[in-house]
Structure formats: structure tokens, C-alpha cells
Amino acid sequence: MDNRAIGVFDSGVGGLTVLQEIIKTVPDENTIYFGDTERVPYGPRDLNEVKKFVFKITRFLYGKDVKLIVIACNTSTAAALKDLKKQYDIPIIGVIEPGARTAVYNTKNKRIGVIATKGTVESKAYPDEIAKIDPEIKIFSVPAPLLVDFIERGILEGNFLDEAIHGYLKPLFDAEIDVLILGCTHFPLIEKRILSCSGNGIKVISSAVETAKDVKKILTEKGLCTAGKKKPERIFYETGMASNFFDVGKMFLGEEIKEVIRTKLDI
Ligand code: DGL
């Protein structure tokens, strides 16, 4: 038994979609969430710069004595997961492998689309993961940076959003995909809009559910589950000063975020 918290982080509010699934799957676990809202978005940045931020956040969470870290951000996973794993003695998982695995399981025509940030698309992290499972699958990836902007500003519906979604998805529909990976943890916040803009028969995948299942599996296998006697503690940190963390968080976490601790990363 281990009552230490699970650490979860993202560049902003998007990782709350992953935290939500983790809370559903292992409700008794204490959690610490970190949103780097001062530096969001990570997607357009150079991956080496993102890697630097990710290393700082990981050190911060490790300093809070977490027992497992979930990188709830595709761009950060693409930039740093492999290197981070080598340096820490606690389990660290990302969101790309679980999403890739689910997509492979669901495609029938072996044509998978990915919408993600520029960084994630350029890293080729999804095609690499998918090729490890089934090298015959064709991947079509599109960077969709405007969608992150909409979400961080709390715009989750409306004509402008729908037009942007249509524009990004068109080349993927033209490529006749049958599975679409939401390769950015912000995108489940607009999943309804994406579903309504998607053609019939296209399965939309977000990695949050599979990632949460992996969390449970690791905790169980490594004997790290909490004794769970007390109400779990939920702690939230952010680095920005003017984000809409409370509003978006409340909407999607299903639990009210009572307090967000403002902190700085020494960058
Ligand atoms: N949450 C990030 C991801 O999954 C996207 C937001 C950003 O660009 O920072 O890649």
C-alpha cells in the first residue's frame, strides 16, 4: 500500500481530461495536477524547448513525492518521455502509446487519422508507435493549432470552431480514414463538436481512458495502490496568472476545483 499521490501534468487545462479518467478509474488515489499555463501552448515550440519544461515539471512533481507521473500532454510525451524514463526511479507514462494502441485495435481499413499539435505531428510519435504494432497501417496527420487556442480561451462551441474543425478534418476524410485519434489532450473538451463534424463510420479515439487503465494496472502490479481510508486529496498547481483554469476545470473534471496554487518554474 502506498498513499503518495499520482502526479499528472500538461501545458495547460487539457490534461484535466486525462485526470478526469484517472479519478474515475482509481477514485481513492490522491492526485496532484500541474498545468504550465504560463507557457501554454507547447505545440508550436521547438521540441527541445518543450523537453526542458517537461524536465522541470517532472522534477517539481518528484519533489512533491509522487509515486507515479502521467504526462497528460501529447507534445510533452513526444518530446521527453523516453529520456525521462531513464532518469527517474518511479513509473512515468505518456498518452501516445495508449492512444496508438486503441486506434490500431479499432481500425478496419488500416487508415488512421491524427489531429495533434505541430510538435506532435513533426515528432512522428504516433506513426512510430502504430508501426510497432502494425507496420501496414497508413497514418495521415494534421496539425490543428487553432483548436488549442479556442479551448484555452474557453470557446468550446460555435461556428468559428466548427469551421476550423471542418478545415482540419477535410484532408483526413479525403484520405478515407476510419479512425481519428485526438492526439492532443485538449481535444476531448470539444469531442462533441469533432464527432458532429466527422463523417459516419469514423471512430474518434482519445487516449485518456486507456491511459487511466494503464495507471490502474501499474499501481496494482507494483503494489502502489493507496490504502484509501480517507477522502482523496486533489491538489492543483498552475504557473499562469490569467488562465480560465477554474471554469474549464469545473466543466470537465466533474468536481469543483476549489483552489489552484500559483507557482513558478525556475526557467
Ligand atoms: N495538451 C497539449 C497536447 O496534448 C496541447 C496543448 C499545447 O499545445 O500546449 O499536445
Side-chain angles (χ1 to χ4, degrees):
M1 294 298 167
D2 188 329
N3 293 338
R4 290 177 298 164
I6 299 169
V8 180
F9 74 84
D10 179 37
S11 52
V13 294
L16 292 172
T17 59
V18 180
L19 179 66
Q20 182 192 31
E21 288 305 327
I22 293 173
I23 290 174
K24 276 192 212 156
T25 311
V26 285
D28 295 331
E29 296 291 339
N30 296 313
T31 56
I32 300 179
Y33 183 88
F34 188 105
D36 190 11
T37 46
E38 188 181 357
R39 272 162 287 271
V40 72
Y42 282 4
R45 295 177 188 266
D46 182 85
L47 284 182
N48 282 321
E49 186 184 28
V50 174
K51 192 167 162 182
K52 231 190 316 172
F53 301 160
V54 171
F55 269 74
K56 289 275 180 191
I57 298 170
T58 304
R59 186 178 307 164
F60 177 91
L61 288 172
Y62 191 75
K64 301 283 168 206
D65 197 27
V66 296
K67 59 184 171 186
L68 163 72
I69 291 180
V70 180
I71 309 181
C73 171
N74 290 264
T75 315
S76 303
T77 303
L81 177 64
K82 262 193 222 135
D83 292 336
L84 271 182
K85 278 177 141 185
K86 289 184 207 146
Q87 296 200 10
Y88 283 89
D89 57 356
I90 54 169
I92 302 182
I93 63 170
V95 283
I96 291 182
E97 193 272 331
R101 196 195 317 141
T102 318
V104 171
Y105 179 76
N106 278 282
T107 182
K108 294 199 171 57
N109 71 359
K110 295 189 187 259
R111 299 172 80 80
I112 294 177
V114 182
I115 45 169
T117 65
K118 175 175 156 286
T120 301
V121 169
E122 285 179 2
S123 75
K124 299 203 170 18
Y126 273 102
D128 288 350
E129 279 304 327
I130 289 169
K132 280 188 210 159
I133 313 172
D134 183 345
E136 280 178 15
I137 290 177
K138 292 213 157 42
I139 324 290
F140 305 88
S141 306
V142 171
L146 267 184
L147 303 187
V148 175
D149 285 355
F150 277 119
I151 294 162
E152 283 289 327
R153 283 188 281 139
I155 301 168
L156 307 175
E157 55 188 17
N159 287 347
F160 288 130
L161 177 65
D162 283 359
E163 270 170 37
I165 294 172
H166 272 294
Y168 287 133
L169 294 188
K170 177 146 190 331
L172 301 179
F173 296 152
D174 291 347
E176 297 181 345
I177 59 159
D178 70 344
V179 166
L180 172 67
I181 298 177
L182 305 185
C184 171
T185 52
H186 281 57
F187 295 168
L189 301 182
I190 52 165
E191 186 164 350
K192 275 202 198 114
R193 298 314 315 148
I194 292 175
L195 279 169
S196 90
C197 298
S198 298
N200 281 340
I202 291 184
K203 176 109 182 148
V204 175
I205 307 281
S206 90
S207 50
V209 174
E210 287 302 308
T211 305
K213 282 189 203 158
D214 284 1
V215 166
K216 185 170 185 175
K217 190 162 172 264
I218 292 169
L219 294 181
T220 309
E221 282 173 3
K222 296 194 180 291
L224 292 174
C225 298
T226 179
K229 297 241 165 36
K230 286 198 291 189
K231 190 171 182 287
E233 208 176 10
R234 311 255 172 256
I235 298 174
F236 298 88
Y237 288 96
E238 73 164 328
T239 51
M241 294 306 286
S243 80
N244 52 8
F245 204 101
F246 279 99
D247 300 336
V248 179
K250 219 187 295 172
M251 226 183 309
F252 289 95
L253 199 57
E255 282 188 25
E256 193 168 347
I257 298 177
K258 295 199 185 71
E259 189 197 0
V260 181
I261 304 167
R262 299 250 141 73
T263 188
K264 287 267 156 225
L265 281 182
D266 168 30
I267 289 174

